[in-house]
Amino acid sequence: MRRSWFWTALQATERLRARAWLGDLVALGATAVALGLRLAVDDVLPPGFPYLTFFPAVILTTFFCGLRAGITCATLSGLSAWYFFLPPSTGFILSAQSGLALAFYVFIVAVDIGLIHIMHTAGERLRHERAVTAGLYEQQRTMFQELQHRVANNMQFVAALLTLQKRRVGNDPQAALAALDEARIRLETISRIHRRLYDPSRISLPVGQYLQELCGDLLDATGARNIVCLVDVPPVRFDLTRLTTLSLLVVEVVTNALKHAFPDGARGTITIRIEAMAPDRMALTIADDGRGIPAGFDPEASRSLGLRIAQGLAAQLDGTLTYAGGPGTVVRLDFAAEAPGA
């Protein structure tokens, strides 16, 4: 959707309106220019136009510099017009005629300034709503990608599970029943993971307990009996949206570790830790003691959908995701403690 030139100009004044001292200077300058022009045309104008050049000055100053500058310009312009152009003579003399003219001036500039201020407020609200809409769209797009990726992984897991159980069955009917029963348990565990991720009632749990249960379900679903998951989280709380996004990121990273860090059923430990780094920043660290990431690994150059989803989830948390090797792999997310604008 193309925006009109008017709304583009309105947005362009935002920085100017944010500088109050500059607005005051503009108001003073606009009043001086208006006064100079009015004095210049005074000899050719008929009586009765004391505010001819001051009204445009007030309107333009309010539009470009905001409410405070508009009120300043209106006040200075009104005093200038009263002193130089309102009868009965030069000076601040109040008569019935000058009082009526001043009341008319105050009414007109109050309406003008009020309408322009309302317009600015509406424009700011519109920009905020557009930003929120864009953020929600990006969040939904990433969630949809994550859901597709998760479903594809689950289908691959089910296929691999059935293939494995088929090899174990042979011609033994009892073994076949046991294999089907084990497959059923694994599928129920996958279903439980999804319920934990998308159940609003789970937000009442402490974050540490919630992540511990989530990781336990992941270990059960993958059959990683030799892996231990440790969760170290202080008593913090997140809103439902941020907790869901954080959970999806934990699931993505932990699942990746279970798939690649511990080959051939090796024993290992995955540690999840959340720390407060500043009043408004936190850090999530997911570390394993597996075989580590390959030398020269560059997540930015990777074409893995899982890594792209993880980066998208990190962006939704206003965070930055980094990977480090060494013994094992350390994935670190530095993110905002609260959603922007909360």
Side-chain angles (χ1 to χ4, degrees):
M1 187 189 332
R2 296 183 59 186
R3 294 183 296 176
S4 68
W5 65 268
F6 176 79
W7 288 107
T8 302
L10 189 65
Q11 185 173 1
T13 66
E14 184 175 353
R15 292 184 179 179
L16 187 60
R17 288 183 283 118
R19 295 172 171 83
W21 62 269
L22 185 57
D24 292 338
L25 291 178
V26 171
L28 183 60
T31 303
V33 171
L35 176 59
L37 289 175
R38 183 61 183 82
L39 289 171
V41 299
D42 188 50
D43 293 336
V44 298
L45 284 178
F49 297 92
Y51 310 118
L52 180 65
T53 58
F54 295 109
F55 281 141
V58 173
I59 292 172
L60 292 175
T61 301
T62 306
F63 179 81
F64 286 105
C65 299
L67 182 63
R68 170 175 162 172
I71 293 175
T72 301
C73 182
T75 302
L76 295 175
S77 296
L79 292 173
S80 299
W82 184 11
Y83 186 87
F84 288 103
F85 307 112
L86 290 183
S89 62
T90 301
F92 296 115
I93 300 174
L94 186 62
S95 63
Q97 184 179 359
S98 63
L100 182 61
L102 285 173
F104 170 77
Y105 171 80
V106 170
F107 174 76
I108 294 299
V109 296
V111 171
D112 290 340
I113 292 174
L115 290 176
I116 294 173
H117 180 64
I118 291 172
M119 179 181 62
H120 279 306
T121 303
E124 291 172 359
R125 185 181 300 114
L126 178 62
R127 288 194 297 275
H128 175 71
E129 290 175 353
R130 283 179 172 174
V132 171
T133 300
L136 289 175
Y137 170 77
E138 180 62 25
Q139 182 181 31
Q140 293 300 322
R141 188 181 68 82
T142 303
M143 290 286 191
F144 180 69
Q145 281 189 328
E146 197 280 336
L147 180 61
Q148 287 184 312
H149 181 59
R150 186 64 49 209
V151 170
N153 278 352
N154 289 343
M155 294 302 100
Q156 291 176 353
F157 172 77
V158 171
L161 176 63
L162 293 177
T163 300
L164 178 63
Q165 301 295 55
K166 177 182 177 181
R167 293 173 182 171
R168 295 172 55 188
V169 167
N171 297 319
D172 185 354
Q174 293 299 321
L177 291 175
L180 289 175
D181 191 54
E182 183 177 348
R184 176 186 59 79
I185 294 173
R186 292 286 181 86
L187 292 176
E188 287 178 350
T189 303
I190 293 174
S191 175
R192 191 164 66 248
I193 292 173
H194 280 272
R195 283 198 299 270
R196 289 192 194 280
L197 285 175
Y198 300 106
D199 183 2
S201 64
R202 308 299 297 176
I203 195 172
S204 60
L205 284 178
V207 175
Q209 179 184 344
Y210 174 78
L211 294 179
Q212 187 70 66
E213 293 179 2
L214 188 63
C215 289
D217 286 342
L218 285 172
L219 296 178
D220 290 342
T222 54
R225 297 180 176 85
N226 294 327
I227 307 300
V228 177
C229 188
L230 303 177
V231 177
D232 180 13
V233 175
V236 297
R237 288 193 179 275
F238 301 103
D239 59 67
L240 179 59
T241 300
R242 292 175 69 73
L243 179 59
T244 302
T245 304
L246 193 70
S247 302
L248 291 171
L249 181 59
V250 169
V251 168
E252 194 63 49
V253 176
V254 171
T255 301
N256 190 65
L258 293 174
K259 288 169 61 177
H260 303 292
F262 306 103
D264 303 324
R267 295 181 178 275
T269 302
I270 298 175
T271 303
I272 301 173
R273 180 177 291 108
I274 294 180
E275 303 170 276
M277 309 305 295
D280 59 342
R281 303 294 296 181
M282 304 193 77
L284 166 70
T285 304
I286 304 175
D288 66 66
D289 57 357
R291 60 182 178 181
I293 56 178
F297 172 74
D298 182 7
E300 297 295 331
S302 175
R303 301 181 61 183
S304 167
L305 177 60
L307 287 178
R308 293 204 306 272
I309 288 174
Q311 294 288 357
L313 294 170
Q316 291 178 22
L317 294 167
D318 189 26
T320 304
L321 201 62
T322 57
Y323 296 80
T329 301
V330 178
V331 181
R332 179 185 173 93
L333 170 71
D334 291 296
F335 66 102
E338 293 184 355

